[in-house]
Amino acid sequence: METHSIGVSRERIDARAKATGRAEFGADIRLPGMLYCKGVHTKYAHAKLLSVNTEAAERAPGVVCVVTGKDFPGEKVFGEIFVDQYAMVYDKSRFLGDVIAVVAAETQEQANAAAELVTAEYEELPVLGSPRAAMEAPAEICINADYPDNICGNVHVIKGSVDEGEAEADVVLHSHYKTGFVEHAYIEPESITVIPSRMRPELTVLGSSQAPYNLRMTLHRLLNLPMARITVRPSAIGGSFGGKIESVESIAARAGLIALKTGRPVQYTLTREESILESYKRHPIEFDVTVGASKDGTLKSLRVEAIGDAGAYINMSPPVMYKTATLGPGPYRIAHVDYNATSVLTNNAHTGSMRGFGTPQAILALENTLNELAEKLGMTPLELRRKNLLHNGDVSPCGHKLDFHEVSIASVTEKALAESDYERKYQQYTEENRDPDRRVRRGIGLACSMRGASIGADGNGGDVSRVLIEVEEDASVHVNIGLVEIGQGLRTCQSQMAAEGMGVSFDRVTLGETDTSRSPFTGACIASRGTFLGGGAIYDACEKVKAIIAEGVQKHYKKPVDDIHFENDRVTFADMDISFEEAVHACYHAALTPMAAGTYTVPLLDWDGHVGEPFYTYTYSCNVAEVEVDLDSGVVNVIRMVGCHDMGRAINPTMVEGQIYGGLAMAQGMGLLEDLGHSETTSAFKNLNFEDYLLPTALDVPDCNTALLDEHPDPRSAFGGRSMGEPATEPGAAALLCAVNHALGRAGTIREVPADLDRVFHAANARN
């Protein structure tokens, strides 16, 4: 009987521990002699820090240590790509989440009380609360002296000639769309525990870290420790969505500094308010879009100016803008493209990695603009998309010829349309909404996307995954990989791929807990790379381990192994058919070690900075959203959402469906509810807790949402699969805004999200 692990909906290997409460999260850790931390935040979003007075805090009950930014023995700033972020500022505050000092005490209550005693002197500087204000500011009040114009990144996609395309077009339409800050809203606030060694300057770091190798590098830089003396072991993580990278590195550096000074374990846990204040957000982006088309709907040109708010630190803004520019044009045939995406430093909260990484915003702008165009052409939104969706052999808007896998966006879209009954409902609601007396109206919208797997050409040659696999003497298989489980089911998926790669049963595989001292450097769990890159490294390691076992089998049995096969816990070669256990015993008997490091690197891409191959492969997606809008109250109820995706091959179908359901819920939050209440005058957020920052709950998300898989195994992936974490949420907010505007009677009625109660009410009453 054949037993395969790929394509099987196996139970998540961490499910029972999390469901029963046995899993240990960052704030669950308790150690003898542990100190507790409290950070002191700046009073001003932009100010020179003249002095920090910690003497009163140092004398407070229970206080063991107080540190400031000047105490770091190494560098003062960190960052994975752009090294400009302060774990503690010592010269100038750049946003309200900056920390000027940290108090460590015997109890959390003592640390909290003592932190109130820290004072500082400032020289206030003008607050640059928007990208426009920052670009217009004189160089002497810039955020970062290395960027006097406050522009910290630009990606410019240029294909063909947009001027020619617009000249050829029968219709040229202009639009403007805007998205705001979005909080990651993970259940677990950041928590880090740092344990110093008793033997030498050496640290072990536990807690909620999505990117342990990045964290290790930051501690190496700021604390002057060799990386070999820093071990990072992430605990169970209560959600991240990209949010627990740089923000966690800041608190780990502060806690690590105190641990080295005191020789005691140190825990640093943020409150929800501190988490929202300090952590980075999804980028707000403004889009000026110009699209040209012929009378029959053939897209001729796309011109976009996108300006993203990087906030106080560069963080991931340039690579975010890369994905905005290269994936923002969507899965359409467009001969002429000019997509210019710029990131600008401001005194707002810094912005960085969040599920979608610059594309949910861009898709929202494009898809709603296409609906406006369809209306102007006298077409339906679906007719316009069917006319222009990419097919096999087409060239993408960025110049990538798609002849290497199934370009399934049309298939994905048709399945989503059929499941949602889109065409009938669109016609029905369009007719019904013409009735001026109808105060409760329905709308339906669709949005499409193509997602590049992995970092792409922006990290050309440097997107690498590594894994270590060892087969033990009892024929159990141990896998060590540095990619982190952040709730997406990655550990289960990678166990399935390892079992498939070794040709053994799933139960034979154990995936070690992520540990930088055991797993080779493999980068961060970001950019939809876990299944794609992790799978490539696992495949490579499995092939190497099987070759070692084959050598042992040949020595032991004196038989040729040119045609050896590992499958279903059996090993066949020559005229032999033996168990996997027997093959492993033969390997060890031959004094060989069945262990190997596997490596996968995304091939170099032909990208010249403006056009070519921006990514190695793509996931195709379509979301349909159906809503009901009360014109008298502005309330929007989501009736149903459908998400259909081609992720290549589904390694674990149930987990993929779970990703889709979660992605739809997250899109509902971005599209309709979530608003931090940002002030451009002070750069402050009004809503620092979930009592005011509204999120969709189980009462808001429809029970009848549907997840559809349209599988076309990808020949460029080791096991046929691409990742689904980010594509699951990409087109959702766009589909929702399309649906709301359909209910309001005109595409483009609302051009900014969230389309919340106030925005919908005012838009409805402006028209009625």
Side-chain angles (χ1 to χ4, degrees), residues 383-457:
E383 289 170 338
L384 181 63
R385 285 166 175 80
R386 279 177 170 162
K387 182 82 176 177
N388 294 285
L389 285 172
L390 292 165
H391 294 279
N392 290 345
D394 283 343
V395 175
S396 80
C398 291
H400 194 177
K401 187 171 184 181
L402 303 173
D403 58 357
F404 50 86
H405 68 186
E406 183 66 21
V407 180
S408 58
I409 185 60
S411 170
V412 163
T413 300
E414 294 302 327
K415 284 180 169 61
L417 296 170
E419 176 64 30
S420 61
D421 197 14
Y422 174 90
E423 291 185 83
R424 182 188 68 79
K425 289 180 178 178
Y426 180 84
Q427 295 298 336
Q428 176 187 334
Y429 299 159
T430 300
E431 289 298 321
E432 292 175 350
N433 294 342
R434 292 193 176 109
D435 180 358
D437 296 325
R438 183 180 288 271
R439 305 303 294 166
V440 178
R441 301 180 178 179
R442 289 194 171 188
I444 192 166
L446 78 152
C448 302
S449 68
M450 60 187 290
R451 175 74 192 187
S454 78
I455 294 172

Side-chain angles (χ1 to χ4, degrees), residues 573-647:
F573 58 99
D575 57 352
M576 302 288 293
D577 184 345
I578 62 176
S579 68
F580 184 71
E581 290 93 333
E582 290 173 302
V584 172
H585 293 158
C587 181
Y588 273 96
H589 188 264
L592 298 174
T593 304
M595 177 174 68
T599 302
Y600 177 77
T601 306
V602 177
L604 287 174
L605 299 169
D606 183 12
W607 174 255
D608 68 3
H610 300 290
V611 70
E613 301 173 349
F615 298 93
Y616 188 50
T617 190
Y618 302 89
T619 291
Y620 300 97
S621 306
C622 178
N623 281 181
V624 175
E626 185 179 355
V627 302
E628 186 174 76
V629 178
D630 187 325
L631 303 186
D632 293 325
S633 67
V635 170
V636 177
N637 289 316
V638 180
I639 299 170
R640 188 187 185 197
M641 295 186 74
V642 174
C644 185
H645 305 264
D646 176 12
M647 74 308 300

Side-chain angles (χ1 to χ4, degrees), residues 90 103 184 242 274 283 309 333-334 344 414 461 481 523 564 577 595 600 633 659 734:
Y90 69 95
V103 176
H184 294 82
E274 289 171 328
H283 285 71
D309 190 338
R333 290 187 302 276
I334 310 175
V344 183
E414 294 302 327
I481 192 164
I564 192 169
D577 184 345
M595 177 174 68
Y600 177 77
S633 67
Q659 287 277 31

Side-chain angles (χ1 to χ4, degrees), residues 683-749:
S683 285
F685 290 136
K686 178 182 178 182
N687 301 322
L688 291 178
N689 207 312
F690 294 158
E691 62 188 358
D692 297 311
Y693 184 78
L694 301 181
L695 295 161
T697 69
L699 298 178
D700 303 300
V701 177
D703 292 336
C704 55
N705 279 356
T706 303
L708 301 175
L709 312 184
D710 186 26
E711 298 181 63
H712 298 87
D714 194 326
R716 290 192 164 184
S717 170
F719 296 97
R722 301 179 292 259
S723 298
M724 261 300 298
E726 294 182 283
T729 203
E730 280 186 307
L736 282 161
L737 187 59
C738 287
V740 169
N741 283 333
H742 183 215
L744 292 174
R746 188 185 69 206
T749 299

Side-chain angles (χ1 to χ4, degrees), residues 191-488:
S191 182
I192 286 289
T193 299
V194 181
I195 308 167
S197 169
R198 296 185 179 185
M199 304 297 292
R200 59 184 176 179
E202 188 169 343
L203 298 176
T204 299
V205 184
L206 314 176
S208 48
S209 170
Q210 179 179 337
Y213 296 94
N214 295 14
L215 192 158
R216 185 178 65 172
M217 175 60 77
T218 291
L219 297 187
H220 159 67
R221 284 173 172 164
L222 271 61
L223 301 178
N224 260 354
L225 284 180
M227 283 190 282
R229 292 192 188 180
I230 303 166
T231 298
V232 183
R233 296 191 194 114
S235 307
I237 297 176
S240 178
F241 311 110
K244 290 176 178 170
I245 305 178
E246 285 84 357
S247 298
V248 169
E249 293 172 48
S250 292
I251 66 171
R254 300 169 201 159
L257 175 61
I258 294 168
L260 290 176
K261 280 182 170 289
T262 64
R264 294 172 60 174
V266 177
Q267 186 172 101
Y268 200 132
T269 301
L270 299 183
T271 65
R272 179 62 63 188
E273 290 81 2
E274 289 171 328
S275 175
I276 293 179
L277 182 64
E278 288 193 33
S279 66
Y280 49 89
K281 315 301 175 200
R282 186 186 296 287
H283 285 71
I285 307 179
E286 287 195 50
F287 298 88
D288 284 304
V289 184
T290 303
V291 61
S294 60
K295 291 179 181 178
D296 67 357
T298 301
L299 294 177
K300 294 292 186 178
S301 63
L302 176 67
R303 187 196 302 266
V304 179
E305 285 289 333
I307 298 177
D309 190 338
Y313 298 117
I314 299 175
N315 199 313
M316 290 288 175
S317 289
V320 164
M321 290 298 108
Y322 175 79
K323 293 199 173 182
T324 297
T326 55
L327 298 171
Y332 302 106
R333 290 187 302 276
I334 310 175
H336 306 284
V337 176
D338 187 315
Y339 204 120
N340 191 34
T342 303
S343 52
V344 183
L345 290 166
T346 68
N347 289 123
N348 298 325
H350 56 145
T351 48
S353 302
M354 187 173 179
R355 191 179 192 181
F357 208 75
T359 54
Q361 305 96 309
I363 294 163
L364 182 140
L366 176 68
E367 293 293 306
N368 280 272
T369 298
L370 290 181
N371 279 15
E372 292 187 62
L373 177 64
E375 202 168 273
K376 191 166 184 177
L377 290 168
M379 305 174 71
T380 69
L382 177 56
E383 289 170 338
L384 181 63
R385 285 166 175 80
R386 279 177 170 162
K387 182 82 176 177
N388 294 285
L389 285 172
L390 292 165
H391 294 279
N392 290 345
D394 283 343
V395 175
S396 80
C398 291
H400 194 177
K401 187 171 184 181
L402 303 173
D403 58 357
F404 50 86
H405 68 186
E406 183 66 21
V407 180
S408 58
I409 185 60
S411 170
V412 163
T413 300
E414 294 302 327
K415 284 180 169 61
L417 296 170
E419 176 64 30
S420 61
D421 197 14
Y422 174 90
E423 291 185 83
R424 182 188 68 79
K425 289 180 178 178
Y426 180 84
Q427 295 298 336
Q428 176 187 334
Y429 299 159
T430 300
E431 289 298 321
E432 292 175 350
N433 294 342
R434 292 193 176 109
D435 180 358
D437 296 325
R438 183 180 288 271
R439 305 303 294 166
V440 178
R441 301 180 178 179
R442 289 194 171 188
I444 192 166
L446 78 152
C448 302
S449 68
M450 60 187 290
R451 175 74 192 187
S454 78
I455 294 172
D458 196 40
N460 232 347
D463 199 1
V464 182
S465 179
R466 300 177 180 90
V467 65
L468 184 65
I469 295 181
E470 181 178 8
V471 180
E472 310 292 354
E473 290 180 87
D474 66 348
S476 58
V477 179
H478 195 268
V479 181
N480 271 308
I481 192 164
L483 296 171
V484 180
E485 174 65 62
I486 52 177
Q488 77 279 49

Side-chain angles (χ1 to χ4, degrees), residues 157-195:
V157 170
I158 302 172
K159 188 181 79 165
S161 168
V162 167
D163 289 339
E164 289 182 18
E166 290 175 355
E168 295 172 3
D170 298 311
V171 173
V172 177
L173 181 141
H174 306 278
S175 70
H176 181 84
Y177 284 86
K178 182 178 181 181
T179 67
F181 291 97
V182 179
E183 165 67 18
H184 294 82
Y186 24 74
I187 295 174
E188 174 211 28
E190 296 85 344
S191 182
I192 286 289
T193 299
V194 181
I195 308 167

